[in-house]
Amino acid sequence: MQTSFTAEQLLDPHVAESEKILRRCVHCGFCTATCPTYVTLGNELDSPRGRIYLIKDMLENGRPADAEVVTHIDRCLSCLACTTTCPSGVDYMHLVDHARVHIEKTYRRPLADRLIRNLLAAVLPYPARFRAALGLAKLGRPFAPLLKRVPALKPLGAMLELAPKSAAKASAGPATHPPQAERRGRVAILTGCAQPVLDPRINEATIRLLTRLGIEVVAPSGEGCCGALVHHMGREEQALDHARHNVDVWLREVERGGLDAIIITASGCGTTIKDYGHMLRLDPAYAEKAAKVSTLAKDITEYLSTLDLPRLEPQGLTVAYHSACSMQHGQKITMQPKNLLKAAGFGVRDPAEGHLCCGSAGTYNILQSEISEQLKARKVKNIEATKADVIATGNIGCITQISTGTAMPILHTVELLDWAYGGPKPGKLKDR
């Protein structure tokens, strides 16, 4: 794609990066076939190619974002299916990230939208606040249908419908979990922010499995949200503050006893942490440290694949594996989770249209609930068509989203692996 940025504009490193990305796009349109919003809405401006045109025009002309640009960028799930498909290597992720920051700086959203986004940014990344909010959600849930009838308040209705009836019991705090077999390594685990409130059993299963395999697992003190949620809302300074904080926490653990990896059990977080090196590349105090953290970050299935787990006899249970977008498109992890499940004795089935997003995408199912509902229905239909016994995935957002649309039990992949290799049977499978 030909661009016409001025030399003065290109002095801004963010603009210069976006200009390089734009120049790689050759308008081929391959991205439209795998873009969930284009497939759902059929509008060229709701495809990656259409959004690229909008972003190019906005940045080249140095103008503030307008309502049209915001509408179509907001509809982007950041699922990154387009980057998997693109034959030209267009780095759409960093381009749309820049566009969101530009929107946040130059566009004044309607009051209700601002308040809801401020609420999400102030609550979801903080477990104590999130847990308290779920308690209040019990009182508000009966009003969800009424709120969804008012366009400006529809996100609040969607939020109340997604909220579980009760927060899970909080798991233990920061601790070091010693290996239960001959020591094979030492890792830190990302506790996370929303996940330990919604389902602490995921990290509990991870710790049990790793320690049985001889891995010392550290849940560091002081760790916080990875920053993904606010990062995708264009609140870059807040996201970078989260990143810097965690870089400091994890590097202290590296200095204290060394780390083979930073284990992440939410693939949405994994995609962001693996990008810390890029996010902080312009910060002279953190660029090198962030790059080191990014190289240490590993999805739990990515790390388990290096441990040579034994093959087990068939479990008699068939799993529909839902590959989260942040896993398959963001981190390019596709075969490891399925191979681990097969080695553990599970039958594995791939749902049709596995490349399409389930509609979760961080806060997307709150802020863009209508499109999200359509994508969820399509995803659930394809999953249920597999006739599997259980669904496995690697992201808490997908678990929350899909579980509201089907009676099939859905678990994190590591919960099934923990059970297969000697852990307790997951509660959701007690009757199976």
Side-chain angles (χ1 to χ4, degrees):
M1 177 181 289
Q2 186 176 359
T3 62
S4 56
F5 289 90
T6 67
E8 184 179 0
Q9 286 176 310
L10 294 176
L11 292 176
D12 181 330
H14 300 291
V15 173
E17 180 195 34
S18 290
E19 193 264 352
K20 289 178 183 176
I21 297 170
L22 288 166
R23 289 177 67 86
R24 293 190 72 94
C25 180
V26 296
H27 323 279
C28 68
F30 283 13
C31 57
T32 60
T34 58
C35 174
T37 49
Y38 181 75
V39 168
T40 302
L41 302 174
N43 185 339
E44 172 72 14
L45 293 180
D46 288 314
S47 73
R49 183 172 61 180
R51 293 185 181 106
I52 285 171
Y53 282 125
L54 290 174
I55 295 168
K56 175 181 181 291
D57 179 64
M58 176 176 67
L59 296 181
E60 242 178 15
N61 289 294
R63 60 179 175 78
D66 57 27
E68 181 183 44
V69 170
V70 172
T71 295
H72 297 293
I73 298 299
D74 281 356
R75 287 178 184 167
C76 175
L77 294 128
S78 280
C79 70
L80 305 181
C82 54
T83 62
T84 298
T85 310
C86 180
S88 302
V90 175
D91 184 2
Y92 179 81
M93 179 175 81
H94 291 130
L95 182 65
V96 80
D97 285 347
H98 182 194
R100 288 192 169 115
V101 172
H102 187 78
I103 288 170
E104 185 68 13
K105 290 179 178 178
T106 65
Y107 182 74
R108 187 167 177 80
R109 293 178 180 275
L111 177 61
D113 192 13
R114 294 202 308 273
L115 292 175
I116 290 168
R117 286 169 176 268
N118 286 339
L119 176 67
L120 292 172
V123 172
L124 293 187
Y126 306 95
R129 299 178 195 176
F130 187 26
R131 190 175 296 278
L134 289 183
L136 294 174
K138 293 180 186 178
L139 303 176
R141 189 174 288 107
F143 301 99
L146 181 63
L147 291 170
K148 292 186 78 173
R149 291 181 195 156
V150 182
L153 300 179
K154 190 177 292 184
L156 290 177
M159 190 189 318
L160 290 171
E161 288 183 346
L162 283 166
K165 293 181 180 178
S166 61
K169 183 180 178 181
S171 55
T176 296
H177 304 271
Q180 304 301 308
E182 182 181 352
R183 193 177 191 276
R184 300 171 63 185
R186 183 177 190 265
V187 301
I189 185 169
L190 171 70
T191 303
C193 49
Q195 181 172 283
V197 176
L198 295 170
D199 196 348
R201 293 166 296 189
I202 295 170
N203 280 346
E204 290 167 2
T206 302
I207 292 167
R208 282 195 306 265
L209 177 57
L210 288 174
T211 54
R212 285 200 309 275
L213 293 171
I215 307 299
E216 180 181 323
V217 181
V218 181
S221 176
E223 182 192 83
C225 173
C226 71
L229 186 142
V230 289
H231 177 60
H232 293 304
M233 293 171 70
R235 302 181 177 217
E236 195 62 3
E237 285 310 311
Q238 191 177 348
L240 295 181
D241 285 343
H242 282 302
R244 292 185 188 100
H245 176 80
N246 284 334
V247 165
D248 287 338
V249 168
W250 288 323
L251 289 185
R252 278 200 299 270
E253 286 300 330
V254 171
E255 293 170 1
R256 184 172 299 157
L259 289 177
D260 301 311
I262 299 165
I263 300 299
I264 302 152
T265 55
S267 61
C269 301
T271 300
T272 296
I273 295 168
K274 288 182 176 182
D275 200 43
Y276 275 5
H278 179 88
M279 291 167 62
L280 290 166
R281 70 195 185 283
L282 301 178
D283 185 333
Y286 278 87
E288 186 176 343
K289 294 190 289 187
K292 182 171 184 176
V293 163
S294 290
T295 62
L296 285 171
K298 303 291 179 189
D299 182 77
I300 178 58
T301 58
E302 192 178 13
Y303 182 71
L304 287 172
S305 295
T306 68
L307 298 182
D308 193 25
L309 275 62
R311 296 193 70 85
L312 302 179
E313 294 298 317
Q315 300 279 355
L317 203 68
T318 305
V319 177
Y321 177 68
H322 164 69
S323 186
C325 296
S326 46
M327 187 82 83
Q328 62 171 316
H329 304 308
Q331 299 184 57
K332 309 302 182 189
I333 298 172
T334 55
M335 297 308 298
Q336 294 97 317
K338 293 188 285 187
N339 288 341
L340 286 166
L341 288 167
K342 290 174 184 177
F346 298 103
V348 178
R349 294 177 184 170
D350 290 315
E353 298 184 323
H355 61 284
L356 287 181
C357 184
C358 70
S360 172
T363 58
Y364 193 92
N365 51 5
I366 295 171
L367 297 172
Q368 299 287 334
S369 58
E370 288 186 9
I371 302 172
S372 174
E373 284 292 323
Q374 293 179 64
L375 291 171
K376 178 175 71 176
R378 187 168 184 156
K379 179 63 66 177
V380 166
K381 181 180 179 182
N382 285 323
I383 289 174
E384 290 181 339
T386 66
K387 305 296 183 184
D389 301 304
V390 61
I391 308 163
T393 189
N395 192 51
I396 186 62
C398 301
I399 292 172
T400 303
Q401 171 84 342
I402 294 170
S403 67
T404 63
T406 182
M408 288 177 69
I410 180 166
L411 294 164
H412 194 288
T413 305
V414 79
E415 294 181 273
L416 289 171
L417 296 174
D418 173 49
W419 171 42
Y421 288 101
K425 188 173 186 177
K428 295 177 184 178
L429 299 180
K430 291 297 184 184
D431 297 329
R432 292 177 181 264

